[in-house]
Amino acid sequence: MRLKLRSTIGTALIGLAAVLASSQAAVAQDGTILGTVTDADTRQPLDGASVFIVGTARGIFTSGQGRFQIQIPPGNYTIRARLIGYQDAEQQVTVLSNQTVTVDFQLAVGGLIVDELVVTGSRTQRSALETPVPVDVVSASEIRSSPHTELAQVIREIIPSFNASHQTIADGSDHINPASLRGLGPDQVLVLVNGKRRHASALTHVNGTFGRGTVGVDLNSIPMAAVARIEVLRDGAAAQYGSDAIAGVVNVVLKDDTEELFGTVQAGVTGEGDGEQVKADVNYGFRIGERGFFNVTGEFLNRERTNRADTYQGEVFFSDGSADDAEIAARGLTRDDFSMKTGQGEAIVGHAFFNSEFPLGENAEFYAFGGVGHRKGEATGFYRRPIQEERVVFEVFPTGFLPEIHTEIDDQALSAGVKGRKGSWDFDLSVTHGRNSFRFNIENTNNASLGAASPISFDAGRLKFRQTVGNFDAVRLIDTKGAFRSLSLVAGGEFRLENYGIGAGQFESYSLGNGGDIPGVDFDTTSTGEPKAAGSQVFPGFQPANEVDRFRNSIAAYLGFESQISDQLQLDVGGRFENYSDFGSTVIGKAAARLEVVENFALRGAVSTSFRAPSLHQLWFNNVSTQFVIDPVTNQLEPARVLTGNNKDPVTRAFGVPDLKEETSVNLSGGFTWRPLQDLSITGDVYFIDISDRIVLSSRFSTGNSDIGDQVADILEPFSALGVTQAQFFANAVDTETFGVDVVVNYVTRLQGGILNLTGSVNFTDTEVTAVNVPQSIADQFGIGNVEAVADVLFNREERNRLEDALPRQKGSVSARYSRGRFSGGVRGSYFGSVEYKPTDELNDETFDPRALVDVDLGFELVPGLSLTVGANNVFNTFPDRHFCATNACLDDPRLGNYGSGNFPFSRRVTQFGTNGGFYFARLSFGVK
């Protein structure tokens, strides 16, 4: 059946391509629109003005002489010219076959508001205020002025409903920020580069952070210096772009500048005197002929780690406090020598990106873009102390050790395609390939079961993900004989091939002694005769049994109409069909409208169905890991060996977990756009997102559970030699509802010979888990037969907390930026609402109050082309609330476990804005034309 479906769709796409290829013969010869764009007062030509045909994808930027030329089939059109700093202008034009029409524009000064053309959420050209769904634009100037050195953090500062923060003590998640749009997961926002799907990271977030169980795109693998702007579509868009776009789309548009060398060198340090950063980048563009370009970027970042741990207060050598203190002193040590390092990890990063376009005659262009990146990271885990006899080789580490996770992340991407015009059609045919690999090297650690023979450095294996996408997109303006102002048919298809793999580490990284659980093989033991812990401490290596190399493919076709019915009304409708080789097919659709009620005030809204396919990672990831959880008896964080079984594994089936299927959602949104003044814009939008069968990583099924522990122990018996006592799985376990409001205000004015830009934004988001979907097979497996009784085992209170309370429900910012002559300066105030930590035991609950941060920067052009900027992100060095027991005596308080005996003064489970505090920097920028 699936082969037949793919064959049918493939035939349809081939037929569509044939229609486009033959359409030139069926229509008259194209006509030409040419002209100039000048300043209405000075009559000087305006370079870089955009001139486009309303309702189509056809447009162009003016040359240095203000000239433009557009080829288009005969017909009646509306042509618009726009340039920031000027008021838009429109003209009606009739184009005849093989004739040239001259259209000149004189733009009046004004219109300082940044209302840029966007290409996200529509196949035809519209400005950000004209779209029927909300699209935010992060401009190149905002990116350049940001004190942040990584792209995800730049977006977090500017987009109200976007959040991304560095994690700590979370294995690989220390190096890949789990990002969120509208409070949803990292895998529910689609990332594009120049409108093409970006590949995901190879890493699955499986530790105890926000985003646990998800797979996202590493936005920080894209160098900031290569970015012209970022368009953030805040609405469900799977009908347009496919899987993952439930929360929206982030489209990163690369630079196409030419004949200008631009670069920066920045250095900074946190308010605590650590986390030093040095970053350098350079960008240059070559012009190729009249219309071609090749833009290239290089970027380097060296970021030292930060440490926010307090002095360790727990057991080191003995459980008796007095004896412990005496032994520490006798060895000439202090408790600080046994403290962890909790904070942002270290990173050394190098990127090289390019963006290019070459004309192929008058009506087509070849384009290519992509890049490579390499990131070396270093983070630490939990200190292994001498009292943990089963985890320490005393001949190697007589006083224990702080294990380190060193990662190497390689990232490559390349897109190439042809876009152009064929008769009445605009088309874009492309192929995109991307890959990411994630290698784990574990240092300063041991495999305790090997005793003195243990290495102290281990290759623990690697993850890989590869994706190849073929796209064909076409737009045709339909002549409605005056019934509509414009009507465009949009259609296309996509083929996607994905590959996910896990490679095993070296034998010693996962072994129990010299031979695992083979009878008669030696392994080191504790003083009670029990085998010491297997595998490298902090991160046991992937085993040969974990290795996978899995492929899947999908094919999709979409069809829609984008219309400007009248000067006041827009209406877009569309549908999409997708078929996956590993789980089946889905059909989704979307309708969006915008109505200009009165001049400069419009209502907009959309309704859509969306989906997200289970990622290959969620289907096939499996390993044995060490996770620290609060022991209900000792109220301390204790290590546990946890098995994660892949979706097809017999052990997963033994727990009753069914096959994964796609998430589905219904998205509703409505709002307004208002421009009460030429230079003031206000937008407000409300949204509702209902997600069914959301894929999550389950809670841990534990042998220590009083109700099901014996049954869990029976299933996990084959893994007992490796110390496995708990198991977790991916499942379509919950339904959620998300409500929210976004408001964005932007005002630009001329002041004292300069330009003042004022912006404000606020987001309110609330996600609620409305149901836990327990398969009857799981309930039956554990002899309960009652789905409600096992619901808390499948998805407990802490897992619910990660979806509902781990990110601020309120987030907002206000900013002012002023530039005049050689001076520029800005100030931004950001508000992060409260977050709540709700573990399995309610007595451990904590709430962390809202915080407001202030950023400042001052820039001055020292000489033409050379500028110095100094500033601070979080200038007052503000931190989140500390854990209750980090500031209060907590001898018997159950919240002591949250504090981890001094390891975690700040929560690592919920996220507001990170724990680095203030960052103070100086940046030297140069530009040479």
Side-chain angles (χ1 to χ4, degrees), residues 126-143:
R126 292 168 174 167
S127 74
L129 288 180
E130 292 176 331
T131 57
V133 292
V135 180
D136 294 320
V137 179
V138 182
S139 67
S141 62
E142 290 176 298
I143 296 171

Side-chain angles (χ1 to χ4, degrees), residues 279-290:
K279 179 183 176 182
D281 59 61
V282 64
N283 174 268
Y284 184 73
F286 303 87
R287 186 181 294 276
I288 300 176
E290 285 295 318

Side-chain angles (χ1 to χ4, degrees), residues 741-774:
V741 179
D742 286 320
V743 178
V744 180
V745 180
N746 192 3
Y747 177 66
V748 187
T749 187
R750 301 181 190 277
L751 180 66
Q752 298 296 313
I755 295 178
L756 175 66
N757 191 322
L758 302 175
T759 61
S761 61
V762 63
N763 167 256
F764 302 92
T765 293
D766 182 39
T767 294
E768 179 184 354
V769 175
T770 57
V772 177
N773 306 317
V774 181

